[in-house]
Amino acid sequence: MYTAIGVSELINIRLTDIDFHCCQIRINNGKDCKDRIVPFSHSHLKKYWPCMLTR
């Protein structure tokens, strides 16, 4: 399952918005000022986790 995330949503994600255990990202004040939960796969976690450590 893939869900699109807008650029403005993406740049506003904080580390505290990411649930690594459940592989979910909380999007706050997204489209129409609504909050939502976006799933991501374990393979993405393995791929992008090293990048998150350098932030």
Side-chain angles (χ1 to χ4, degrees):
M1 175 181 202
Y2 291 96
T3 304
I5 297 177
V7 174
S8 62
E9 295 173 333
L10 187 61
I11 62 172
N12 289 318
I13 293 174
R14 297 176 306 227
L15 199 52
T16 56
D17 295 331
I18 304 171
D19 183 344
F20 294 102
H21 185 263
C22 295
C23 289
Q24 297 177 338
I25 301 171
R26 179 177 178 82
I27 304 296
N28 297 306
N29 295 319
K31 187 177 180 180
D32 297 328
C33 295
K34 294 182 180 178
D35 297 344
R36 62 190 173 114
I37 302 294
V38 177
F40 62 92
S41 69
H42 286 281
S43 62
H44 285 102
L45 179 62
K46 290 177 186 177
K47 183 176 181 180
Y48 295 111
W49 178 245
C51 297
M52 296 297 290
L53 293 175
T54 60
R55 295 181 86 196

